Amino acid sequence: MNSVKWLIRILLVFYLSHFSFPADTISLHHFIQDNNHQVIVSSGNTFALGFFSPGSSRNRYVGIWYHQIPDKTVVWVANRDNPIKDTSGILRIDGRGNLALFHKNQTLPVWSTNISTAGTRNSVAQILDTGNLVLVQNDTREAVLWQSFDHPTDTWLSFMKIGFNLRTGLNQVYSSWKSPDDPGVGNYSLKMTQGVSPQMVLYKGSNPLWRSGTWTGKRWSGIPQMTQNFLFRDSFVNTDDELSFSSDAKNASLITRWVTKETGVTQRMIWNNEAQSWIINAVPTEQCDFYGYCGPNSYCNPYLGDFECTCFPGFDPNHPKHGT
Ligand SMILES: *[C@@H]1O[C@H](CO)[C@@H](O)[C@H](O)[C@H]1NC(C)=O
Ligand SMILES: *[C@@H]1O[C@H](CO)[C@@H](O)[C@H](O)[C@H]1NC(C)=O
Ligand SMILES: *[C@@H]1O[C@H](CO)[C@@H](O)[C@H](O)[C@H]1NC(C)=O
Ligand SMILES: *[C@@H]1O[C@H](CO)[C@@H](O)[C@H](O)[C@H]1NC(C)=O
Ligand SMILES: *[C@@H]1O[C@H](CO)[C@@H](O)[C@H](O)[C@H]1NC(C)=O
């Protein structure tokens, strides 16, 4: 009899410790530890947040990945330039109400949402089905104190933006990993440029490699693929408060991401569930897309057979014909 009681007691403790708190939330009392392989999962099971090691590395990072896609596909990394070398990491709400990543040997956090949170100690971090990690005040759940969508790494998801919040100074930039083994800030970045004709530019360091062309009202002039846009709702905002672009899947069940890669391309991918693989649509796709390929006084026409630079009247081409 006694052993049955004990068993029930143990099961109850197990049940309470594992299932009694919302599995999508980290709070002052419910943190996640790398040692215990703990993760939080968004309410619709779309995204998970936890500790991972990229590629063949043994370093530990906190990241967000698709919960239902077999190969762990990471869409955001917290401590991208500050790996933890062992599995003693703890992600919790600290005494100031920030979400912070600690290592057992250190009192200062390895990473933190690091906002001033005077009087907001009652905060919780929640992973949403969009892939956004939000820090909110538990009582109201309304005002977002911090969100991962404002601090992108290499992956642009639906409902994220590229560009500037001109009131707060926030600039949303997508920068490549260093390598598949190292999510640290790499050499390639996709940014919005300010000025008379804003556009998206892919840089290697400070050198532009590709540009989107200007906004025509419906699409970027340099991305003709955008004309048949059945899948995405594109929106370009250019006001006193904001200069941004977003491209959201019209159907929320479409799994899609736009990644700026360490190989020097920026590519949108769509998950094909039947094939269990990503369909890739990358730029620069063609020679024509490389910044300056044709020189400033000509234009590139990919439909002439080979990529061909056609000069504006009175100019000679830089590269008369590709491959000849
Ligand atoms: C958050 O609010 C809920 C509902 O009011 C409450 O049950 C819970 O204990 C709170 N959690 C924290 C960490 O304050
Ligand atoms: C943490 O501290 C322990 C004991 O002081 C030490 O043995 C270990 O190497 C330290 N780990 C790291 C990653 O610094
Ligand atoms: C938090 O912000 C302060 C001031 O900007 C900075 O000095 C500090 O390094 C940051 N800490 C973390 C953990 O990011
Ligand atoms: C970034 O570019 C510099 C200069 O070309 C190069 O030395 C460095 O190895 C590159 N870094 C990565 C992570 O590829
Ligand atoms: C969205 O996509 C799902 C899965 O492909 C499909 O079943 C559903 O009908 C689509 N919804 C709309 C409104 O197109």
Side-chain angles (χ1 to χ4, degrees), residues 41 48 55 60 80 86 123 135 167 170 178 180 186-187 218 222 230 234 236 239 250 284 314 319:
V41 177
R60 304 298 287 170
R80 64 184 302 191
D86 57 27
S123 46
L135 186 71
R167 278 183 294 109
L170 187 77
K178 286 197 163 101
N187 281 338
K218 281 196 175 136
F230 302 121
D234 296 321
F236 177 70
T239 64
K250 289 180 182 167
H319 304 262

Side-chain angles (χ1 to χ4, degrees), residues 177-179 185-188 204-205 262:
W177 288 20
K178 286 197 163 101
S179 75
V185 173
N187 281 338
Y188 297 93
K204 178 176 188 183
E262 61 280 1

Side-chain angles (χ1 to χ4, degrees), residues 86 103-105:
D86 57 27
H103 179 262
K104 71 163 186 286
N105 285 11

